[in-house]
Amino acid sequence: MQSKSKLAFNGAASDAILMPSEGLTFLIRTDARFATDGFRKNLLATIQQNSSAAAFNPRAAGLINGSDVECAIKQSVHEAYEEWGHTVLDSISRHVNYDLYGIDETVRRLNVNFHNAYVLAEKIADNADTFLKQQPGYNPNAPVIYVSLDEMFHQCRSTWGEIAFSRLFSLKGDQQFGYTARPGKPPIEDQVEAFAQQVRDLRDLTGQDVKIIVLEDNVRHAKMLNWVIDLMDKHNVFDHGQLACISTCFCSASQQEREAIVHQEQSIPLVAAVEFQSKNFEVSTPRDLLFDGYVVEVDGETTRLPGLFMDVEKLFKVCPEKVESFSEEIRGASLRFCERIEAEWGVAVPLSWFSGAKAIASVTGKQLDTRMTDVLSDLDLQLNKVPGVVMQQNDLKNKPA
């Protein structure tokens, strides 16, 4: 039976939402700007450095100044990324191992709910504010600090902190190790020390203990949050502040798991923008197949490796017998993305423009200046074309951005 994909675009979806009763549901935060930020900057720099060549391609013709070019690049890359993303979701709907979710063969379809990432981040900060105001003895003048555990959150409140870490994977992706600082960030211990200093400084400035709000993208289990809380405790973060609550975008944690998030033997309140009780869902990040990736170690340095170059069966829960077909389709979509940009802008798209370039170069043996189309073409896969499935787009007023 051929699967069907149904797409719906939402704002924050902050009120109660109805989870589809049939099929597998993906919850995805719109991420085009985040996923393609580095790529767009590289394309813009190349166009600016080679304006004479760019003038001969249709996309750049008639553009007067730098801001016009930048806007055109933003639209161009967004459209190409959107096409890539829809193709990827098409492929996932036909290749995902529905048996892992206990989904009957007669209702095997993929329901995709997009949520506006910007609005959702604002919403969870608002939720935390509302929670504080509802607490007994609430003091509107008490200092509050927000600490983000998610790299897609923008600074939407003051005072703001960050503890940037990720799970470390093997190059193949079949093994997971401990937590490590995100690529480009200081060691985790240094980050927590810096955050502790922020809390101390705010306490000294105001003369009052600080309310600490932890912002997270998804809560399913207590283990990781308890690890973060214990780490903050170890570095004396709570000597000058109180952990008020955890505010998250998505939550499917059972009541037992929620109560297991503790500090000093007390459960920490958890506030969620979207809550659901279903095993047939994933908070999904398809961009990890090419435009982002999993944190790995290459030459003693942490970096990201896109999932296309790793174990897609394990990382994306693909049916074992469909791994080759899935990989071929994702490679084909990725090739078309690069070819589209090259055709529109009259430039070669090198491997170095992608965030996982260093790791890709390591596992493929390619140089960073190799055209990405050549990198993809030389992968040990055989391309084939599989007819796409029908996608129904609802609520297009909140199209991904």
Side-chain angles (χ1 to χ4, degrees):
M1 177 181 177
Q2 189 181 47
S3 302
K4 288 186 177 181
S5 298
K6 182 176 181 180
L7 277 70
F9 301 99
N10 308 284
S14 52
D15 299 321
I17 62 171
L18 295 176
M19 296 294 289
S21 58
E22 297 181 341
L24 173 63
T25 297
F26 274 11
L27 305 176
I28 301 176
R29 289 181 293 166
T30 55
D31 61 4
R33 291 172 186 163
F34 175 83
T36 63
D37 182 61
F39 184 93
R40 286 185 284 109
K41 289 176 179 176
N42 282 307
L43 176 57
L44 177 61
T46 299
I47 296 298
Q48 290 173 333
Q49 292 167 9
N50 192 23
S51 58
S52 59
F56 292 97
N57 71 72
R59 199 82 192 205
L63 299 179
I64 299 173
N65 54 50
S67 62
D68 289 340
V69 174
E70 188 171 359
C71 288
I73 285 175
K74 181 178 179 181
Q75 181 181 358
S76 171
V77 175
H78 175 84
E79 291 169 354
Y81 180 77
E82 185 175 60
E83 179 184 37
W84 177 87
H86 285 186
T87 302
V88 165
L89 290 171
D90 241 356
S91 188
I92 290 174
S93 73
R94 287 178 279 105
H95 293 86
V96 70
N97 191 348
Y98 289 96
D99 289 340
L100 297 176
Y101 301 91
I103 297 174
D104 186 83
E105 188 171 348
T106 60
V107 290
R108 293 189 171 183
R109 74 175 190 187
L110 183 64
N111 308 295
V112 182
N113 283 322
F114 288 99
H115 300 269
N116 186 299
Y118 185 91
V119 177
L120 197 55
E122 295 280 345
K123 178 60 183 178
I124 66 169
D126 288 342
N127 284 351
D129 294 342
T130 300
F131 173 83
L132 287 179
K133 292 175 183 177
Q134 294 172 344
Q135 299 312 297
Y138 167 70
N139 177 6
N141 297 316
V144 180
I145 189 168
Y146 303 80
V147 56
S148 168
L149 305 184
D150 183 86
E151 59 189 329
M152 277 184 65
F153 292 153
H154 59 282
Q155 184 169 344
C156 54
R157 292 293 188 277
S158 185
T159 306
W160 187 269
E162 178 188 49
I163 301 177
F165 63 93
S166 295
R167 176 76 70 179
L168 183 64
F169 286 80
S170 62
L171 282 176
K172 186 178 178 181
D174 57 342
Q175 297 181 68
Q176 296 183 30
F177 308 111
Y179 296 112
T180 187
R182 289 191 203 118
K185 298 291 184 178
I188 299 175
E189 300 273 331
D190 294 349
Q191 293 185 52
V192 180
E193 280 286 353
F195 180 65
Q197 186 62 54
Q198 275 187 279
V199 175
R200 285 193 293 271
D201 291 346
L202 189 57
R203 169 67 174 82
D204 292 343
L205 179 66
T206 62
Q208 301 182 67
D209 281 348
V210 179
K211 300 292 185 183
I212 300 171
I213 305 293
V214 174
L215 302 179
E216 174 64 317
D217 67 326
N218 178 39
V219 176
R220 200 165 190 166
H221 302 289
K223 184 177 180 180
M224 183 274 287
L225 285 166
N226 280 335
W227 174 80
V228 175
I229 293 168
D230 288 346
L231 192 60
M232 289 194 288
D233 203 8
K234 175 184 174 182
H235 289 273
N236 306 313
V237 169
F238 304 120
D239 287 0
H240 304 284
Q242 174 192 3
L243 182 53
C245 73
I246 297 164
S247 190
T248 184
C249 298
F250 307 115
C251 177
S252 63
S254 66
Q255 190 61 35
Q256 181 179 4
E257 285 291 330
R258 293 174 70 132
E259 292 175 355
I261 304 171
V262 297
H263 177 235
Q264 295 181 346
E265 301 182 351
Q266 295 294 317
S267 291
I268 305 303
L270 180 65
V271 185
V274 180
E275 296 194 56
F276 41 90
Q277 297 296 324
S278 170
K279 67 177 182 178
N280 299 337
F281 82 95
E282 291 284 352
V283 177
S284 181
T285 52
R287 71 174 184 274
D288 282 340
L289 278 161
L290 181 67
F291 295 91
D292 202 353
Y294 300 86
V295 176
V296 297
E297 188 173 293
V298 174
D299 297 331
E301 178 184 340
T302 55
T303 183
R304 290 189 183 273
L305 179 61
L308 175 58
F309 301 87
M310 303 174 75
D311 185 348
V312 293
E313 177 186 347
K314 183 175 183 64
L315 296 174
F316 291 89
K317 299 183 178 179
V318 175
C319 288
E321 68 275 14
K322 296 181 179 181
V323 167
E324 183 177 353
S325 174
F326 177 74
S327 298
E328 290 170 349
E329 290 190 24
I330 303 306
R331 182 175 71 161
S334 303
L335 272 167
R336 290 190 293 275
F337 172 89
C338 296
E339 291 166 349
R340 175 172 175 168
I341 297 300
E342 290 188 341
E344 289 187 7
W345 292 99
V347 299
V349 173
L351 167 59
S352 61
W353 286 10
F354 291 81
S355 61
K358 181 174 182 178
I360 296 172
S362 176
V363 299
T364 63
K366 301 293 185 181
Q367 298 298 312
L368 291 175
D369 60 357
T370 306
R371 284 179 64 195
M372 191 60 169
T373 53
D374 292 338
V375 175
L376 292 167
S377 296
D378 288 346
L379 287 179
D380 188 19
L381 300 169
Q382 180 180 0
L383 287 174
N384 62 43
K385 296 182 179 179
V386 180
V389 298
V390 177
M391 287 190 175
Q392 301 174 5
Q393 299 186 14
N394 303 319
D395 192 15
L396 293 179
K397 65 182 180 180
N398 288 309
K399 203 171 184 181

